[in-house]
Amino acid sequence: MLTKYNAIVGQSGGPTAAINATLAGIIHGCQTSNKIQTLYGMKNGIEGLLKEDIIELCDTNLEMLCHTPAAYLGSCRFKLPDSPYERAYAKILAILRYYNIRYFFYIGGNNSMDTVAKLSHYAQQVQYPLHVIGVPKTIDNDLLGTDHTPGYGSAAKYVAVTTQEIIRDCAVYTQPAVTMIEIMGRDAGWLTAASAVGRIINSVEPDYVYLPERIFSVNEFVKDIKAALQRHPNVVVALSEGLRTTDGYLSQTTRMDQFGHQQLSGAGKAMETLLRYNINCKTRVIELNVPQRCSAHIASQTDLDESFQIGLEAVQAAIARKTGVMMSFERIPSDTYGCKITCHNIHDIANQVKYVPESFINAQGNHVTEECCKYILPLIQGEAYPAYQNGLPQFMI
Amino acid sequence: MLTKYNAIVGQSGGPTAAINATLAGIIHGCQTSNKIQTLYGMKNGIEGLLKEDIIELCDTNLEMLCHTPAAYLGSCRFKLPDSPYERAYAKILAILRYYNIRYFFYIGGNNSMDTVAKLSHYAQQVQYPLHVIGVPKTIDNDLLGTDHTPGYGSAAKYVAVTTQEIIRDCAVYTQPAVTMIEIMGRDAGWLTAASAVGRIINSVEPDYVYLPERIFSVNEFVKDIKAALQRHPNVVVALSEGLRTTDGYLSQTTRMDQFGHQQLSGAGKAMETLLRYNINCKTRVIELNVPQRCSAHIASQTDLDESFQIGLEAVQAAIARKTGVMMSFERIPSDTYGCKITCHNIHDIANQVKYVPESFINAQGNHVTEECCKYILPLIQGEAYPAYQNGLPQFMI
């Protein structure tokens, strides 16, 4: 007779439209495994585990869960201490022992992979047979060791679709105007790049795309805009929230509010101010903001499918006695898109950032290349519509 | 043999996700009428007509047009002069005569109905047999003489769906936080009210909803937020960009548009500042911005169907020799939703605002009533998804 052990899963970091699809994949993997007895969920990630705030995950509507945005189990931004002698580790170990947990799944971004690295290392040190598997998730797509991250495709699709709509909206008037679309991504410009994918589909794309990988030049920007206004009246610019000049982040530019207090403004607002002093035309800033990461109503089917699959295969990896790894996608070189799922040593990945490569950005640093669009294109394929009830999407509460 | 005349159509004011469905309805109506020879389109509304910038509308993909956001013919914010002796009128008349145009359709909001009123009046004065029909369009839903406006349902659906997603996004952390969703609507709170429709569908709605119909009280707002934070950590507030205190607009009012209206930006930012000085917790502002009016990817099917139909019936009204009227919806009193399309004298409508009625706002002025939700609910029914090609929606260019 097989000895069965229990498993636990947590979610961490910023929400995405696909993180619950990965959770659904892990639930399905555990339910169908003959090695796993019960799957627990930690509420609010490792923070909840430390408080023993855990639930049993059973009889969940996996289809609805896949389409539900944000993090069903709640999230946290808690980082485990560096020293394994800190009390947190002993506490976690005691809880894992008590619940007979041998499989540990953690879905998250950069900081969450740090947790996977530390916990797997600690378990090995104390010789507790724990299989700790990190499953990536971030709209930022900035994790090393994987072709792309679950969650990125859906956010990229939202950005790409919304940019198409905004460009049409901007085109209706004849007066010169500059519209700036501010897109998430503090250090890496992956999501901002997705605004340009129309280039290889229907030739509709922003006039310029500025990524944080290149130092932003105010002079070049003003020159770019003047040149575009010569060509047509409705200039549309996509820009990353993380743009910086040699002096630091653009968004750190301050302005005064009506009470005379200084207010931090976004990169787009800073660029609008720049234009107001350099070019006399109508300007507008559209911050895509939180809807970028939670718009489940227009998720990428490819992203949801892959996010489910990587969760499923995380369970298989744990059962195959892997630990201290992050599940990752490896793109298969071919004319048609395909990825295989592999494991990557967590210590090569945690606490690092994957930037948009040089070859994806044009020489002037004001747009992305066709190679970049071709990389993004397969990730936004398919429309994963949730079920609707009475006009609203049906999500897990 | 029937004598056939030509027709012309223009679009004006801010774009919506449904204004092209009305255009499609008018095109279809003219194509199938035995009274109309050729349908012309004025580029950029009356402004284009004055420059004789007009095109023939034929062989258009009506299905794709229905799903295309913004204004296919371009728009303008041009208002006809008050005096009929101004040159603009004589010029328009000469162009209409030259093109043998007897039917004039103008799709737009408040300012556009002013154009319909003036032009129909002028044509009657000079005894030119012109049939001028206004077809309403505004996401603001603030036109008198109609149960609701085409374009409102789709914008309301976007607001309602996005609010559902944002509420889930906000729920993932345990730290107290206040999220403010800023929604379009300078004078009327119709669109902001749509954020609350979840109440009668799934009980998920913002904690508070503030409309511009009620004077905003800073003290009451701070009290509301403090009370909500006692109940749960993730407080979500929907607010109209047009909120004002007894001292005027809450937002900084720096610019005027060409009609002398103050241009608003940042009621949410102003409220964030208020909270920062009154309550010590994390705050966040999400301006839904332009995507509210151009998100064709999640348009309301009811809105698109009605918008097409009102265009079609505008043609029938013109052929029936109506002029100086706005097409309008009249809700049929019944347990199930239904509207009939009628004509309304334009002079009762132009340059006025329909506010959210008292009975739709609660006594405290910090939320909407169930009656309000019931009014909005049928207008957001059905998901009008555009066709996709390679991951992006297919729109007319």
Side-chain angles (χ1 to χ4, degrees), chain B residues 87-104:
Chain B
R87 278 189 61 194
Y89 289 96
K91 199 164 179 186
I92 289 172
L93 186 64
I95 292 166
L96 295 178
R97 273 195 212 279
Y98 179 80
Y99 285 94
N100 200 22
I101 290 166
R102 297 275 176 102
Y103 306 106
F104 189 106

Side-chain angles (χ1 to χ4, degrees), chain B residues 37 81 110 151 157 165 207 217 246 261 271 278 317 330 335 346:
Chain B
Q37 183 79 42
N110 239 318
K157 188 176 185 86
E165 293 169 334
D207 292 277
S217 156
T246 45
H261 300 143
M271 286 165 79
N278 287 282
E330 197 177 300
D335 286 345
I346 199 80

Side-chain angles (χ1 to χ4, degrees), chain A residues 98-282:
Chain A
Y98 178 81
Y99 286 93
N100 200 22
I101 291 167
R102 297 277 176 101
Y103 306 106
F104 189 106
F105 305 101
Y106 212 47
I107 316 169
N110 240 319
N111 291 321
S112 314
M113 294 311 129
D114 177 78
T115 298
V116 171
K118 284 170 176 164
L119 192 61
S120 60
H121 185 70
Y122 174 76
Q124 281 167 338
Q125 276 189 314
V126 297
Q127 295 186 309
Y128 180 76
L130 186 67
H131 303 285
V132 188
I133 312 285
V135 192
K137 160 292 327 170
T138 167
I139 62 163
D140 293 330
N141 199 38
D142 61 351
L143 284 178
L144 280 177
T146 185
D147 176 77
H148 59 279
T149 55
Y152 172 66
S154 291
K157 188 176 186 87
Y158 178 79
V159 167
V161 168
T162 301
T163 301
Q164 291 285 316
E165 293 168 335
I166 290 172
I167 291 174
R168 263 78 175 186
D169 188 281
C170 293
V172 307
Y173 294 119
T174 51
Q175 298 95 322
V178 181
T179 300
M180 283 158 284
I181 309 174
E182 184 179 317
I183 298 168
M184 282 177 167
R186 195 103 183 119
D187 299 308
W190 294 105
L191 205 49
T192 305
S195 65
V197 76
R199 174 183 317 179
I200 56 170
I201 302 175
N202 59 13
S203 305
V204 177
E205 58 174 333
D207 293 277
Y208 302 108
V209 177
Y210 300 99
L211 309 189
E213 278 79 0
R214 290 286 180 91
I215 290 292
F216 182 76
S217 156
V218 172
N219 286 342
E220 291 302 316
F221 170 64
V222 172
K223 254 191 246 172
D224 285 348
I225 298 297
K226 282 183 176 166
L229 285 168
Q230 293 292 318
R231 295 194 295 272
H232 56 166
N234 303 299
V235 177
V236 178
V237 169
L239 63 103
S240 162
E241 63 175 349
L243 285 185
R244 70 206 94 175
T245 65
T246 46
D247 296 332
Y249 285 110
L250 262 185
S251 57
Q252 284 168 343
T253 312
T254 53
R255 59 183 176 140
M256 300 293 231
D257 64 21
Q258 67 266 54
F259 305 109
H261 302 125
Q262 284 195 324
Q263 263 193 335
L264 271 185
S265 69
K269 282 282 173 203
M271 286 164 79
E272 190 180 33
T273 306
L274 282 174
L275 286 187
R276 209 176 302 139
Y277 290 109
N278 287 282
I279 300 176
N280 183 26
C281 80
K282 198 183 150 194

